Each structure stands twice: as C-alpha cells, then as structure tokens.
Amino acid sequence: MIRADFALRHAGQLATMVPAAGDPLGRIRDGALAAREGRVVWIGEDRELESQVTLDGDLLDTQGACVIPGLVDAHTHPVFAGSRADEFAERASGVPYAVQQSEERGIARTVRATREADEPTLLALAQARANRFLANGTTTIEAKTGYGLDLDNEAKLLDVLRKLAGRTPLRVVPTFLGAHVPPPGIDRDLYVRSLIDEMLPAFRPWADFCDAWCEAPAFTAKETRAILTRARSLGYGLRVHAAQLAPGEGPDIAAALEARSADHLEFATPAQIRALAKAGTVAVLCPGANFTTHGPRPPIDAMRQATLPMAIASDLNPGTSNSESLPHAMSLACVQWGMTPVEVLLGATVHAARSLKLDGVAGCLQVGSFADCAILDVETPEAIPYYVGVNRVIATVAGGVTWQPS
Ligand code: NIG
Ligand code: FE
C-alpha cells in the first residue's frame, strides 16, 4: 500500500497534461490522486484508489468537478505600488501605450510610487495579489522585480519576493528585471554599468532568472546583449521582453543566448521564430497586455509551424495588464488570436513550467510532481476559456493542502 497524507477523489475529468492514448491532456475520467509531503504519490481511476492507497490526512471529494494541474504563470510583475487606471482609460480613447511613457508617466510613475512605498506596504500588496492568483487557480508564478531600478530599491523588491514566498503557498520564482527601462534622472550608460558591475553579481543568490526589455522605450540591442551575456555568465536563466511594440533584435538575442523564454513577440519574424524554436526557448505570450495596448496578433501560425512551445501568461502589471487570472488570459488568446482551448491549456501549464525549468514537476500531475491542482466547475478542461471573465475555480490545492483565503 502507498501511504498518503492528502487525497482528492471523484474528479469528473482529471487532466494530467501527460499525453496518453491520443489525448494531449492525458485525462482520467472519475479520477483520483494521492499525495505525501506535497508530492503526488499515486494517480489513477477513483475505483482503484482504496485498494492501493492508505490515507492518513485530508480527503477532498470534488464531486465530479474538473481537475487540472495548478496553473503556472510564466510572466508577472507582482511587486508594485500605485495605480495607472487613468492611463488605461486614455488608451481606450486612442492614446498609444508608447506615447504614455515619459519621465512622469507610464512605467516611471510606478517606479516612483514603488520607491516611495516601504517594504511592509509592498509585501501586503504582493500578498493580496498572491491570494488572487490562488483564487484563480494559479499555484506557480514567475515574479519579476523592475519597479525599483536602483541597487537599494531592486534589493527591496527582491526581499519582498523572498518574504512573500515564505508566507504564501503560491510558488514564487524570482526574476531580476533591473533592465526593465532605464530609470529617470540617471545617465543610461551609468545605469547599464551599475546593472552589469553591481546589481547582477549582488542579486544572483536571490533571483533564478534575469530579464531585460529589448526595444524602445527600454534597452537597445547592444545594451541588452551586454546585460544578458553578463547575467548568463553569472548563472542566471534568461528571459527577454522582445518585439512587443515593434520589430527588433530582441528575439535574435534570446535565441543566440538560449534564453529560457522570449516574451510578447507580437512583431517577431518567421526567421526569428525558427531560431527561437531551435534554441529551445519558450514563447511566453501575454494576451492581457496585447488586449489593453491594442497590439497586433502575434505570429501564432509561424509558431505552430516551427513547433515553438507557446506559454500563456497573465503579465500582471499596473500598466498593461492588471489581472491575476490565467483563465481570462486563456479566453483572450482563444477569442482574439484563434488559439485552441488545448493550446492555451498546455500554454498555462506544461509550456509555462518548461520556461521556468520546472518541467515534469509543475504544470502536470504525475507521480513525483507537485500536488498542485485547480478544481473547476466546468464540464471539460477545454471549457475553461469558454467562461470568459468569471472565475469558475472552486478550490485550489498547493503542495497537497487545500488553500483557504487568508
Ligand atoms: O510586460 N513590457 C514591459 N513591461 C510590462 C509593462 C510594464 C508597465 O507598463 O508597467 C509588460 O507589458
Ligand atoms: Fe512584462
């Protein structure tokens, strides 16, 4: 008998995301799973559970609901203060996002508000966001800094992420995004030097990944290459905000440096997409940001042709996508871009996990994986994006524990 301290029973459909018998979602009907110390120890048909597992712990009867792996959000900016609701409204009446970026407004405005906020305030804001991620079925996030933009303030943001990880069952994968935009009021060459010489070495113990935004109003190709090359030599995994607002070299740099992810990619060319596929990079697509900035459809067909894995992310941030809901991002990717429900489901689980080097442990349910699940009141996993803008998550399990809002 297999010993377990958590079991979940009677999932109408349990999507493992491990392809089986022609089903890309590897679903089990009337499924069950058992976990010990946060990891799955048994998974299969409910009728076999009792003969194979002894349970000493919590039992969750899902009464025919759909169960999928806890969603994985591969691109979020969850540590910030202040609001830019007025900029959202302006864009709705035709002002472009790029035009809103100045020393006073746009990202610089959030940098100012975030620098002014103390650590407990930022932690409380991040914790509320963590609760909203969990409420919407997400159990793992990639979490970027990027609103501090100097040594002390970026350190403050990394500290908030470290404390957040200790206070929430949400898994938090920290990314250093000191190369978000050059901060106002300092010579850009000096800032790039400080990134390369001070911040990148100092923050290596606190961040798994380094990200850079490669295009105006952020960093040039030359600057991005220098920053990410240094990051790679220090052992960071790499991510790149690339070709979001205009064509550029961001995707080429991501491919050349074998970045784990290239994000946004609305303006990537077919040749760049082939190069990313060859480099083993994951495309992290951000439908929420695309939607509120009125961006063009990313080259989804070229990505399919190149078999470039496409992750779907919320891109939670105060400027372009103030949402912790991956199901909503999945709906947008289906409706706006013509992605299929299966593509977006894989995008918010296995492909996202791969971009975070969590393949096989997050975004899937199999023996040895995290016991992270989202339980939803939907008829099939494919119906998740069909429920647009409403939260159909009944319960979220993280590490074999059913999450309760705190
Ligand atoms: O992913 N592209 C850059 N960064 C964010 C927007 C940040 C902001 O506007 O505050 C994004 O869309
Ligand atoms: Fe972003």
Side-chain angles (χ1 to χ4, degrees), residues 31-92:
L33 73 76
R36 191 171 64 242
E37 291 171 5
R39 299 275 185 152
V40 174
V41 289
W42 184 91
I43 185 161
E45 289 180 37
D46 190 89
R47 63 190 165 85
E48 292 179 355
L49 178 78
E50 279 176 7
S51 64
Q52 300 190 21
V53 174
T54 22
L55 174 64
D56 181 13
D58 288 342
L59 174 67
L60 180 64
D61 185 345
T62 63
Q63 299 180 19
C66 260
V67 177
I68 62 170
L71 296 169
V72 179
D73 198 335
H75 184 140
T76 85
H77 305 246
V79 193
F80 64 86
S83 166
R84 286 169 35 214
D86 52 348
E87 295 177 20
F88 169 87
E90 260 180 30
R91 284 204 303 282

Side-chain angles (χ1 to χ4, degrees), residues 37-226:
E37 291 171 5
R39 299 275 185 152
V40 174
V41 289
W42 184 91
I43 185 161
E45 289 180 37
D46 190 89
R47 63 190 165 85
E48 292 179 355
L49 178 78
E50 279 176 7
S51 64
Q52 300 190 21
V53 174
T54 22
L55 174 64
D56 181 13
D58 288 342
L59 174 67
L60 180 64
D61 185 345
T62 63
Q63 299 180 19
C66 260
V67 177
I68 62 170
L71 296 169
V72 179
D73 198 335
H75 184 140
T76 85
H77 305 246
V79 193
F80 64 86
S83 166
R84 286 169 35 214
D86 52 348
E87 295 177 20
F88 169 87
E90 260 180 30
R91 284 204 303 282
S93 56
V95 181
Y97 174 75
V99 170
Q100 293 178 321
Q101 304 306 312
S102 70
E103 299 238 324
E104 306 304 319
R105 306 193 73 213
I107 296 175
R109 184 174 165 200
T110 302
V111 170
R112 206 174 317 116
T114 305
R115 284 178 177 172
E116 279 165 14
D118 61 13
E119 216 178 287
T121 304
L122 289 171
L123 183 57
L125 287 166
Q127 212 162 350
R129 291 174 190 129
N131 284 340
R132 283 191 291 273
F133 278 116
L134 288 160
N136 283 281
T138 295
T139 51
T140 300
I141 61 164
E142 181 264 8
K144 302 176 196 297
T145 65
Y147 293 111
L149 304 188
D150 61 33
L151 185 72
D152 290 349
N153 282 291
E154 284 293 309
K156 177 173 78 172
L157 269 49
L158 283 166
D159 216 39
V160 169
L161 287 175
R162 194 173 51 79
K163 291 190 173 131
L164 176 68
R167 285 172 195 213
T168 170
L170 186 69
R171 296 174 203 286
V172 178
V173 180
T175 292
F176 172 56
L177 178 59
H180 196 180
V181 290
I186 157 170
D187 175 82
R188 63 187 293 141
D189 290 340
L190 269 181
Y191 186 67
V192 172
R193 279 263 62 88
S194 142
L195 279 171
I196 289 175
D197 296 339
E198 295 180 292
M199 291 192 240
L200 280 170
F203 297 149
R204 181 65 193 93
W206 309 112
D208 299 342
F209 289 95
C210 172
D211 191 350
W213 186 8
C214 180
E215 69 188 339
F219 293 89
T220 65
K222 189 169 168 233
E223 290 162 342
T224 305
R225 219 175 272 114

Side-chain angles (χ1 to χ4, degrees), residues 224-272:
T224 305
R225 219 175 272 114
I227 295 161
L228 292 181
T229 302
R230 172 76 163 137
R232 186 160 94 149
S233 75
L234 289 164
Y236 288 90
L238 304 184
R239 321 185 76 78
V240 192
H241 279 71
Q244 177 183 6
L245 305 176
E249 286 178 61
D252 302 303
I253 296 170
L257 295 177
E258 296 176 320
R260 266 280 153 164
S261 78
D263 302 44
H264 295 282
L265 295 178
E266 274 84 343
F267 290 90
T269 65
Q272 288 176 324

Side-chain angles (χ1 to χ4, degrees), residues 80 82-84 129 132 292 314-324:
F80 64 86
S83 166
R84 286 169 35 214
R129 291 174 190 129
R132 283 191 291 273
T292 84
S314 72
D315 192 8
L316 165 70
N317 76 78
T320 62
S321 183
N322 208 333
S323 165
E324 293 88 356

Side-chain angles (χ1 to χ4, degrees), residues 7 19 24 70 128 157 189 205 237 243 258 290 293 340 361 393:
L157 269 49
D189 290 340
E258 296 176 320
N290 177 272
T293 59
T340 67
V361 286
V393 174

